[in-house]
Amino acid sequence: MSDDDDPDRATGRPKTRGKERSAGRGNTRKADRAPPKPIDAAALERMALRYVERFATTRGRLTDYLMRKIRERGWDGGSAAALAEPGELAQRMADLGYVDDRAFAEQRAAAMQRRGLGARRVAGAFREAGIDDGDAESVAPAIADRAVESALAFARRKRIGPYGNGEADRKLQEKQLAAMLRAGHRFDLARKIVAAPPSDTPELVDFD
């Protein structure tokens, strides 16, 4: 190829000049951007208040959020304070009524069970949210009371058992049973629902 056939040679412009200009502008912007200031106690409290205003949360989740912010920005108060303050602040938010782990657990359990998820999946969500054993146990009776209703809600969504289109063969029943177990339902309850014949009016008492 001749020089005239090469656009960059014909114009006399180096091939990389445009990229260099773009890179130069990006580096200037990065250089001009000041690093975030380390967090002190007042800034941490403001973050906590904004968080609880925006989200229903737990002490554990709030603590994790504040710890993450400290790791990202640094702590203006010493490493020992950085480790202790988030948990203390989360407890203070709970004492003031801004955080209520039990109410969070009740609402989360009810919402999950309406979607057809069972007690084991609810327990996993509690662990992830940092709900302690005392609050989890206080909600356990209500979760147990809704167990059949929740399992039938899942069966309705997936057309299992009484909500199926016809009698399922053994292979299909095994798949349906596995799906109900993954959704967190008890084995005995899931097996009973999977084995139930199609019905226009399944009753909760039939599966207690």
Side-chain angles (χ1 to χ4, degrees):
M1 181 174 64
S2 69
D3 288 355
D4 291 340
D5 293 329
D6 187 338
D8 293 293
R9 287 179 180 272
T11 57
R13 291 194 299 268
K15 294 183 180 181
T16 58
R17 182 174 296 174
K19 293 181 180 179
E20 289 173 351
R21 283 200 298 264
S22 298
R25 287 195 297 268
N27 291 338
T28 300
R29 285 195 295 269
K30 289 180 182 178
D32 292 342
R33 190 180 303 151
K37 293 181 180 179
I39 298 170
D40 59 15
L44 196 69
E45 184 163 355
R46 289 194 297 271
M47 286 181 176
L49 287 170
R50 283 198 299 269
Y51 192 82
V52 299
E53 285 173 357
R54 295 176 60 194
F55 305 108
T57 191
T58 64
R59 286 170 296 172
R61 277 191 171 177
L62 179 58
T63 300
D64 290 345
Y65 167 77
L66 297 174
M67 287 293 293
R68 177 165 57 83
K69 289 300 182 183
I70 289 171
R71 287 195 299 270
E72 291 172 353
R73 294 178 49 177
W75 178 249
D76 186 11
S79 58
L83 294 173
E85 181 67 15
E88 295 173 4
L89 183 52
Q91 182 59 55
R92 183 146 37 101
M93 294 291 112
D95 294 341
L96 292 170
Y98 299 149
V99 174
D100 188 331
D101 283 18
R102 179 170 178 174
F104 179 96
E106 291 171 347
Q107 294 167 7
R108 177 57 58 88
M112 292 182 70
Q113 289 188 285
R114 284 195 297 271
R115 289 164 45 207
L117 299 176
R120 288 200 314 278
R121 289 286 293 273
V122 173
F126 284 179
R127 288 192 295 271
E128 184 180 345
I131 301 293
D132 64 27
D133 291 342
D135 288 319
E137 289 172 4
S138 70
V139 183
I143 295 172
D145 288 344
R146 294 190 296 259
V148 175
E149 184 179 356
S150 173
L152 286 175
F154 183 84
R156 186 184 305 113
R157 284 176 48 211
K158 300 296 184 179
R159 299 185 180 278
I160 293 173
Y163 303 101
N165 295 323
E167 186 174 348
D169 60 27
R170 182 170 180 175
K171 186 174 182 180
L172 178 57
Q173 285 188 343
E174 288 175 352
K175 289 182 178 179
Q176 292 173 339
L177 179 60
M180 294 202 68
L181 295 177
R182 287 195 300 271
H185 298 292
R186 300 191 324 261
F187 179 82
D188 60 324
L189 174 58
R191 184 172 59 179
K192 189 180 294 187
I193 290 175
V194 167
S199 171
D200 293 333
T201 57
E203 298 289 340
L204 296 182
V205 293
D206 295 337
F207 303 98
D208 284 338

